[in-house]
Amino acid sequence: MMIERLREYVGAETPTGDAAALNAFADRLTTRYAELGGAVRRIPAPTGDHLVADFPGRGPQASAAPLLFLTHHDTVWPIGQLRDVMPWREADGIIHGPGVFDMKGGLVVLESALEEVADRDHRPLRVVVVADEEIGSPSARALVTAEAAGVYAAFGFEPPHPNGDLKTSRWGSTRVRIEVTGREAHAALDPGNGVSAIDELVDQLVAVRRVVAGHDHVLCNVGTITGGGRTNVVPGSAAAEIGFRFVDPSTEESVLAAVAALEPVRDAQLKVRVLSNRPAWQPSAASDELLAKVVAAGRSVGQEIGGAAASGAADTNLTGWLGIPTLDGLGPVGKGAHAVHEQVVAATLTERADLVAAIVTSL
């Protein structure tokens, strides 16, 4: 049943930014969560609706602080990836396809766990499904922060470490856009009156490298560059989007302040703006204590679970940064996130659902 549902979800492609596709998928989740006893709210956003589903508690802890489950339904893959590049395939216990690992497998694990605990005693449960997680959740940060208020703990359903260990902290992640406005002119007849936005952008990217080189434990990736139009026209505009990763808040603050303070080196206009930000979630005693409880829950269902820091960012950065006991990586074991060999180990779908059910009923 879990594999069939995963195939259904992978077949409904949901690239970030395609609001129609994401909202159609949100319709499926709304129906499914309602069937499982949840009260579902839809929060409109330009990139697609976010969902919040609240499941009542049962038994002695029916009125206790809830557990928060963080998920997302967007993927990095465009419409047609399934048909043209990454067809669904099952072989030797491995399932291949766009989104199986990041993170439709996690959505299926969560649903199955909710079904398992439907008749058991547990705290209230709150599920948040984000529509633009793959670009840093720019429209969902406030939602995640609001829904995290007063929860007992937060869990993410992103992929785990390769050996199945959960993620106990994450680097911070910030996306920055540098926009340059120069002045167009004929590149041969009047070059002196032109100001090349592309040349200015190149110099600014070199300056960014110097900033990064002055700090330890910073990752910097220039993900896109755009600008210009014709070789006989001095380009009047150019832009780049940069992804930064930071191990701690002080490094993040220092680097971003230096990037924001960049000045033009020629007669051009420069604009630097933050597109999305997830602060560093650092190791904490609260998350360590939560991990110890999860280890015990895992042993109750015959599983040995560990935990380790992670360099990738997700919405759990926000809850961890806020000081809420947080763990991530409850999705199935696999590999190839954001790569054409994306895959999950089929048997771990059931294993992870059993683990989540044990966590829910033991906390």
Side-chain angles (χ1 to χ4, degrees):
M1 180 65 180
M2 294 183 73
I3 293 176
E4 288 81 358
R5 189 169 297 278
L6 179 57
R7 183 165 189 169
E8 173 194 339
Y9 284 2
V10 169
E13 293 174 291
T14 51
T16 310
D18 190 330
L22 284 157
N23 287 344
F25 194 87
D27 291 341
R28 296 171 185 250
L29 294 181
T30 298
T31 299
R32 181 64 176 146
Y33 293 153
E35 290 172 348
L36 293 169
V40 186
R41 290 173 279 141
R42 292 179 74 136
I43 295 83
T47 52
D49 293 354
H50 311 302
L51 297 182
V52 179
D54 285 298
F55 296 82
R58 288 175 54 92
Q61 290 190 296
S63 299
L67 301 180
L68 176 65
F69 296 145
L70 296 174
T71 69
H72 65 89
H73 60 311
D74 62 321
T75 76
V76 300
W77 303 112
I79 299 292
Q81 188 78 9
L82 177 67
R83 180 194 65 228
D84 301 331
V85 183
M86 298 166 63
W88 172 275
R89 181 164 59 90
E90 296 179 59
D92 300 321
I94 306 297
I95 301 172
H96 302 256
V100 292
F101 189 47
D102 188 13
M103 66 171 299
K104 287 177 176 173
L107 287 170
V108 172
V109 165
L110 173 57
E111 286 183 24
S112 296
L114 292 171
E115 194 167 21
E116 271 192 61
V117 303
D119 296 324
R120 304 184 199 173
D121 292 347
H122 60 76
R123 295 171 175 271
L125 310 174
R126 179 174 301 151
V127 177
V128 175
V129 186
V130 170
D132 56 3
E133 191 279 339
E134 293 294 2
I135 57 170
S137 304
S139 72
R141 176 169 177 160
L143 172 67
V144 171
T145 300
E147 297 300 331
V151 302
Y152 177 80
F155 294 92
F157 284 75
E158 294 284 353
H161 287 293
N163 66 351
D165 280 356
L166 303 184
K167 297 174 178 181
T168 57
S169 63
R170 289 182 176 277
W171 284 37
S173 174
T174 299
R175 293 165 56 242
V176 170
R177 181 176 174 86
I178 298 177
E179 299 173 346
V180 179
T181 302
R183 186 167 58 248
E184 292 183 348
H186 196 292
L189 301 180
D190 196 21
N193 279 329
V195 178
S196 172
I198 289 178
D199 287 351
E200 178 70 29
L201 179 62
V202 169
D203 287 339
Q204 295 299 331
L205 293 179
V206 171
V208 169
R209 284 196 176 193
R210 288 196 295 267
V211 170
V212 170
H215 296 77
D216 294 329
H217 308 301
V218 179
L219 300 178
C220 174
N221 180 60
V222 179
T224 66
I225 293 180
T226 58
R230 297 177 179 272
T231 58
N232 61 353
V233 179
V234 176
S237 63
E241 292 189 7
I242 308 172
F244 293 99
R245 302 296 175 108
F246 308 99
V247 72
D248 61 73
S250 61
T251 300
E252 175 183 19
E253 182 178 350
S254 178
V255 170
L256 294 182
V259 173
L262 292 172
E263 295 286 345
V265 298
R266 50 181 59 74
D267 186 21
Q269 297 176 15
L270 186 65
K271 182 178 181 180
V272 179
R273 58 191 177 99
V274 173
L275 299 177
S276 65
N277 168 260
R278 289 179 174 136
W281 159 28
Q282 296 187 284
S284 69
S287 291
D288 288 344
E289 291 171 8
L290 182 62
L291 178 63
K293 296 174 182 177
V294 168
V295 168
R299 286 175 178 160
S300 74
V301 290
Q303 299 182 37
E304 288 295 327
I305 302 299
S311 56
D315 289 328
T316 44
N317 279 65
L318 295 173
T319 54
W321 173 68
L322 289 168
I324 296 167
T326 300
L327 294 171
D328 205 343
L330 285 169
V333 176
K335 62 182 179 180
H338 301 186
V340 294
H341 63 282
E342 184 174 5
Q343 59 190 259
V344 295
V345 179
T348 63
L349 290 165
T350 301
E351 291 173 4
R352 294 310 243 198
D354 291 344
L355 172 63
V356 174
I359 292 170
V360 168
T361 54
S362 65
L363 290 181

